[in-house]
Amino acid sequence: MNIPRMSFPRVVIIGGGFAGVALAKKLAKQEVQVVLMDKNNYHTFQPLLYQVSTGGLEPDSIAYPIRKILKDFPNFYFRLANVEEIDTKKNKVRTNIGNLKFDYLVVATGSKTNYFGNSEIEKHSMAMKTIPQSLNLRSLILENFEDALLTSDLNERNALMNFVIVGGGPTGVELAGALAEIKKGILPKDYPDLDTRLAQIHIVQSGDCILKGMSAQASQKAEDFLEKLGVNIWKNVRVTNYDGKTATTNTDLTFETATLIWAAGVKGATIKGIEAQELVANSNRIIVNEFSQIKGFEHIFAIGDIACMVNEEHPHGLPMMAQPAIQQGEQLGDNLLRILEEKPLKPFVYKDKGSMATIGRNKAVVDLKKWKFQGVFAWYVWMYVHLFFLIGFRNRMVVFVNWVYNYVRFDREARLIIRPFKNKHKVEV
Amino acid sequence: MNIPRMSFPRVVIIGGGFAGVALAKKLAKQEVQVVLMDKNNYHTFQPLLYQVSTGGLEPDSIAYPIRKILKDFPNFYFRLANVEEIDTKKNKVRTNIGNLKFDYLVVATGSKTNYFGNSEIEKHSMAMKTIPQSLNLRSLILENFEDALLTSDLNERNALMNFVIVGGGPTGVELAGALAEIKKGILPKDYPDLDTRLAQIHIVQSGDCILKGMSAQASQKAEDFLEKLGVNIWKNVRVTNYDGKTATTNTDLTFETATLIWAAGVKGATIKGIEAQELVANSNRIIVNEFSQIKGFEHIFAIGDIACMVNEEHPHGLPMMAQPAIQQGEQLGDNLLRILEEKPLKPFVYKDKGSMATIGRNKAVVDLKKWKFQGVFAWYVWMYVHLFFLIGFRNRMVVFVNWVYNYVRFDREARLIIRPFKNKHKVEV
């Protein structure tokens, strides 16, 4: 792979998400060679993907070139690569651009959408885990409205204007809120010749509450906010199939919709070479100890969404969110330096900094350890925290300008179909 | 096409570029039904496409939703459609979403890249006339550098880092300048393990000067600027073929390059139904009179790049630029209202407001009627004019923030491969 061998040990990191980047930063300017591989040349700030889908932000606002994050660090190598297999016997990774030996390996491949084995849902539904997926969803939403103008069949038109979001977690809730605001503020102006009041937004939640990782108070308030925005919430309903037209459920309920967004679950993005016994059965997460080590290895680690690390509060593994990923990355960085200095490792202790979700303008819910609050102030806190955690001053500025504009003007201007999704065949580019 | 017949006459405009939008704005709030069709749902500010290609700006900064431009105007209808044929006998347009009768028709389809019949160049080269094309070029440039890291074949590596721009017009000059600045400011930091000094940027110009539409003074100064930036300019050389690896010319000169950008010419984007005798032979432009009427018709017009209108100064047609397009659109709007009021038409008079091009930071050339200047002040004027002509306050703000950032930090952060071009098959999205 054209990477020189140095006198320092080589740490190979697979994945440039929150965990991988946090780790790489810790190892910068240390006596260690770092090779970071990712299938994209950018880091994605996933919490704001729904704003890309809904035309509030462009990709460059929430993506950041990985090379730039680490450009001032010597001994740092980035490779745009798909890792195909890990050879734990020969300490080697096999990729589409060649093989590479490692001294230490860190699997930080994150998670991907979990369709629970339903290939028809996988084929027909939209996901929102990556920037291209989010742009596809944006295109589809806009294309559906253009198509709704063309049909005189009322059922078809309604199906084109119906949105079914499966899953009432933060992704589903935030997307539903954004769609509801678009329905209210933008559609009537953009499509005066369409009765956009008929557009419906549904959240289908298999459990008995939305935002189930948060407090009962936050969950209830989020539900109130969504209902005020006109979102229909269906609890204790499970979507069982979707053929591109009709979504069936485990109840009598069915939905006619051209757009089903699957936000019902994620699973670890595993790599060949990690044995089945090292994985948690349902979630495909790699079992790790308190030092992030994969069972049976001292020099192979997993961090972030892909890693299943348990503690007393989380017997089924820490939540698959940014905070544990960042903290594990930083902790592992420190531990790797301890290994090199032949010092004993320190166990990981998760510091829960709270969680939050936004529903719409002036509407958010925040759970801190000792304080739970909702509404306008929560919304400001949500915005501040998300701006703060974005990488890069320019990204913060551009997001800030967009948010202020969108707030003042009740608008989202990036409603552009740059890469046609549904009508790909129709439009020449 | 589901568009109601009103008591007002119907004007169908094909194309939402500078000409079509200027015309539609003039007809807003008048007693006329306007149907604007475009194959994209956005208007493109083409003069800044090269900044999208080079990672300085994102598409939403230079694109604007057409529905939003005209959202407050009654009697205005937008349709996302490919117009396939004009039936001048039945006064009807045929599109991929159905047919539509018109009372007045305006062809404002603009121009497309002219390969002068060379299908091999068309197949292997990159163009920069649309946002998707510009994003493809951005991806290709970045992918080439990633690939350059992987090869140990020096010739291959050089070819991956060589850029050949065919055509020394504003597009070619501005792109060359931007690439030269990236080579100097960004590549050495992003690719420390690559000798990026070997990257070469070439402009190949068939005539004996660059920017030939501008003054000799501007042309000479632009050449000086480019040479200072390390761009190689080859004059009186014509690229005769390109097979994806080697570009041959009408001289002994050949270029080994993985990236050939074809900016050597444009031609009218004609539609079936406009007869050959109505077109200028080489450029495919539609011949119109001083009222923008197509030969033989009183109610069918052409404006902008597609229209060939001559005057004393321009015996071969007005330049294919934004200014004539906007002025023709506005003038035709006034004339259509005159027709409805049964007043005589006024002939079009082109007001040349001058032309300008930017080469890089603090380097631009401006030709006004009575004043020609170059350098730092010209650069400020260039920026001011381009910000001013961008549609939308948010676009101006976002572009401004990006430009200030890029200027202060010598940077361009949108170097993201969101839609892989070359390695499409390699990377799963």
Side-chain angles (χ1 to χ4, degrees), chain A residues 206-270:
Chain A
S206 60
D208 58 2
C209 70
I210 59 169
L211 296 180
K212 75 164 181 237
M214 295 185 71
S215 66
Q217 199 179 330
S219 167
Q220 185 54 51
K221 197 72 191 181
E223 215 175 284
D224 296 349
F225 283 147
L226 284 169
E227 267 163 17
K228 206 176 283 173
L229 283 168
V231 173
N232 309 294
I233 303 176
W234 305 91
K235 289 186 282 193
N236 298 309
V237 175
R238 226 161 20 80
V239 170
T240 48
N241 210 359
Y242 177 58
D243 62 2
K245 290 190 166 176
T246 308
T248 54
T249 68
N250 62 338
T251 71
D252 286 347
L253 199 66
T254 59
F255 299 93
E256 302 295 315
T257 179
T259 320
L260 184 131
I261 298 118
W262 189 257
V266 292
K267 61 179 180 184
T270 47

Side-chain angles (χ1 to χ4, degrees), chain A residues 112-127:
Chain A
K112 56 184 187 180
T113 307
N114 193 351
Y115 297 96
F116 304 102
N118 190 319
S119 60
E120 220 181 1
I121 291 180
E122 181 168 358
K123 187 175 160 194
H124 296 291
S125 70
M126 305 299 288

Side-chain angles (χ1 to χ4, degrees), chain A residues 290-308:
Chain A
E290 70 270 35
F291 308 115
S292 296
Q293 287 162 322
I294 299 180
K295 230 190 231 174
F297 301 103
E298 292 207 325
H299 65 306
I300 304 183
F301 306 84
I303 52 177
D305 280 6
I306 184 73
C308 183

Side-chain angles (χ1 to χ4, degrees), chain A residues 142-326:
Chain A
L142 295 166
E143 286 169 322
N144 279 344
F145 277 96
E146 296 296 334
D147 285 352
L149 279 172
L150 304 178
T151 179
S152 40
D153 178 333
L154 196 65
N155 287 334
E156 193 190 339
R157 190 184 298 161
N158 284 348
L160 287 164
M161 299 199 292
N162 274 355
F163 299 92
V164 176
I165 299 165
V166 187
T171 303
V173 165
E174 298 187 326
L175 179 63
L179 287 174
E181 291 195 334
I182 287 172
K183 176 188 164 180
K184 209 171 118 193
I186 294 174
L187 294 184
K189 286 183 205 150
D190 265 14
Y191 300 92
D193 41 339
L194 201 62
D195 188 353
T196 52
R197 288 168 306 177
L198 298 176
Q200 293 288 321
I201 299 143
H202 304 280
I203 292 182
V204 185
Q205 165 64 31
S206 60
D208 58 2
C209 70
I210 59 169
L211 296 180
K212 75 164 181 237
M214 295 185 71
S215 66
Q217 199 179 330
S219 167
Q220 185 54 51
K221 197 72 191 181
E223 215 175 284
D224 296 349
F225 283 147
L226 284 169
E227 267 163 17
K228 206 176 283 173
L229 283 168
V231 173
N232 309 294
I233 303 176
W234 305 91
K235 289 186 282 193
N236 298 309
V237 175
R238 226 161 20 80
V239 170
T240 48
N241 210 359
Y242 177 58
D243 62 2
K245 290 190 166 176
T246 308
T248 54
T249 68
N250 62 338
T251 71
D252 286 347
L253 199 66
T254 59
F255 299 93
E256 302 295 315
T257 179
T259 320
L260 184 131
I261 298 118
W262 189 257
V266 292
K267 61 179 180 184
T270 47
I271 299 185
K272 219 172 132 185
I274 302 288
E275 303 298 327
Q277 71 265 23
E278 291 149 11
L279 301 177
V280 180
N282 289 323
S283 67
N284 263 4
R285 294 173 86 185
I286 302 172
I287 300 163
V288 296
N289 64 13
E290 70 270 35
F291 308 115
S292 296
Q293 287 162 322
I294 299 180
K295 230 190 231 174
F297 301 103
E298 292 207 325
H299 65 306
I300 304 183
F301 306 84
I303 52 177
D305 280 6
I306 184 73
C308 183
M309 186 193 281
V310 298
N311 67 13
E312 262 180 42
E313 235 179 305
H314 301 94
H316 302 296
L318 294 174
M320 293 161 93
M321 299 194 317
Q323 271 306 319
I326 294 169

Side-chain angles (χ1 to χ4, degrees), chain A residues 68 82 394 402 411 426, chain B residues 68 82 394 402 411 426:
Chain A
K68 184 168 160 72
N82 273 333
R394 190 199 62 103
N402 274 297
D411 206 347
K426 280 197 202 164
Chain B
K68 185 167 159 73
N82 272 334
R394 190 198 62 103
N402 274 298
D411 207 348
K426 280 197 202 164

Side-chain angles (χ1 to χ4, degrees), chain B residues 166-177:
Chain B
V166 187
T171 303
V173 165
E174 298 187 325
L175 179 64

